[in-house]
Amino acid sequence: MIELLVTIAVIAVLLGVSAPALQSVRRNSISAHCRARLASIGLMHATYASEHQDRYPTFEYPLDLAGVADPILAPEWGAGGGGWLVLPISEIWFWGYQLRPYAAEDPETEVMRTVEALSCPVVHNEWITSLPPEQLDGAVRDPMQPIQNSYVRSAALFTRASAWDDSAPPPDVNAEHAPVRVSEMAFPSSKAVLVEASSHHSRSRVRLESASVEQVNILAADGHIERGRVVDALAPVGFVGASTGFEQPPIARDRWIDTGLPYISTRHGHLGRDW
């Protein structure tokens, strides 16, 4: 009996010692899967740019009667002839729709595969399991609920560089909208394209705006994947803009506007560095 109790105690101690290490290995494995997903999305960006005059993917806004792009209303996007309010600031979250044709052979019929290809594996799996089966198809097809929010997109990719100048006031992302060319990126190896919205693969999921030592996965403009800490990013800049919604006029302000967001709104736009 004593030998049995000693054996059980030794096993319990070994399990207690090895459990944290196993959890760390599991987190690293999931993080590697996420980095592979980001690398795949980087290839989609490169393919898109090669087919669209070297431009990063951005929303294609309808033209008004004067032939000027109208970023406010895109009536042809709504189901059944309805309309969306489509604002440039929304590209921070709704970045994935221009890449859907590159995520699956037929994104209209392979909806789930398309969404998964543009999402963090952890967030996607949790989202799938949290939805009742009868709501899943509708939620996937609803453009106002993109699972791609697991990654956020740099505002430098769709904003004029002059808007982020040191002497300028906080940039108006809606008014200063301008698609950026890949060849215009000044420091592609230290400029973020997509960043995890939270440290999904760490013990504590800290949101990107927190001054945290937790690491997040980053897709750099040159296509490589970086592991960076939020506190190591250069200081973000606040910006002005309104979120997508059905307000008339669209005046919903986002909570990140006043202080900016690390890796997303760094000074000097695509002509500067994020880290």
Side-chain angles (χ1 to χ4, degrees), residues 9 41 46 57 63 65 68 75 78 81 111 116-117 144 160 173 184 195-196 202 204 218 224 231 240 261 268 270:
I41 296 173
L63 302 180
L65 295 178
V68 178
V111 178
E116 183 176 7
M144 302 302 287
R160 303 179 200 280
V173 179
E184 295 173 344
V195 186
E196 286 184 294
S202 62
S204 57
I218 304 167
H224 88 275
V231 295
V240 177
L261 192 63
H268 303 308
H270 64 270

Side-chain angles (χ1 to χ4, degrees), residues 115-136:
V115 172
E116 183 176 7
L118 296 169
S119 310
C120 169
V122 171
V123 179
H124 180 266
N125 291 337
E126 291 178 350
W127 181 69
I128 290 294
T129 56
S130 69
L131 286 173
E134 64 274 12
Q135 296 182 13
L136 185 57

Side-chain angles (χ1 to χ4, degrees), residues 17-100:
V17 170
S18 62
L22 291 174
Q23 290 176 357
S24 177
V25 169
R26 182 174 180 273
R27 284 196 301 269
N28 289 336
S29 174
I30 295 174
S31 180
H33 190 187
C34 177
R35 293 195 295 274
R37 180 67 50 79
L38 270 175
S40 175
I41 296 173
L43 291 175
M44 296 181 206
H45 273 88
T47 305
Y48 180 99
S50 69
E51 296 179 358
H52 292 82
Q53 300 178 325
D54 195 39
R55 293 176 183 265
Y56 285 102
T58 54
F59 285 136
E60 297 178 4
Y61 300 108
L63 302 180
D64 60 19
L65 295 178
V68 178
D70 179 8
I72 301 300
L73 185 62
E76 72 276 14
W77 285 12
W84 286 10
L85 291 171
V86 183
L87 302 176
I89 196 175
S90 304
E91 302 214 25
I92 292 175
W93 304 277
F94 301 134
W95 57 267
Y97 289 95
Q98 296 295 327
L99 294 180
R100 287 192 168 203

Side-chain angles (χ1 to χ4, degrees), residues 15 25 116 149 152-153 195 200 205-206 214:
L15 288 174
V25 169
E116 183 176 7
N149 284 359
V152 288
R153 185 172 182 232
V195 186
H200 298 301
R205 293 192 177 186
V206 180
E214 296 287 0

Side-chain angles (χ1 to χ4, degrees), residues 100-175:
R100 287 192 168 203
Y102 306 93
E105 198 167 314
D106 186 353
E108 293 300 321
T109 59
E110 300 176 277
V111 178
M112 288 298 300
R113 181 178 177 182
T114 303
V115 172
E116 183 176 7
L118 296 169
S119 310
C120 169
V122 171
V123 179
H124 180 266
N125 291 337
E126 291 178 350
W127 181 69
I128 290 294
T129 56
S130 69
L131 286 173
E134 64 274 12
Q135 296 182 13
L136 185 57
D137 185 63
V140 169
R141 292 179 179 275
D142 182 0
M144 302 302 287
Q145 298 180 13
I147 190 57
Q148 292 97 305
N149 284 359
S150 52
Y151 303 123
V152 288
R153 185 172 182 232
S154 172
L157 272 64
F158 57 90
T159 313
R160 303 179 200 280
S162 58
W164 304 94
D165 187 82
D166 285 323
S167 61
D172 184 336
V173 179
N174 292 340

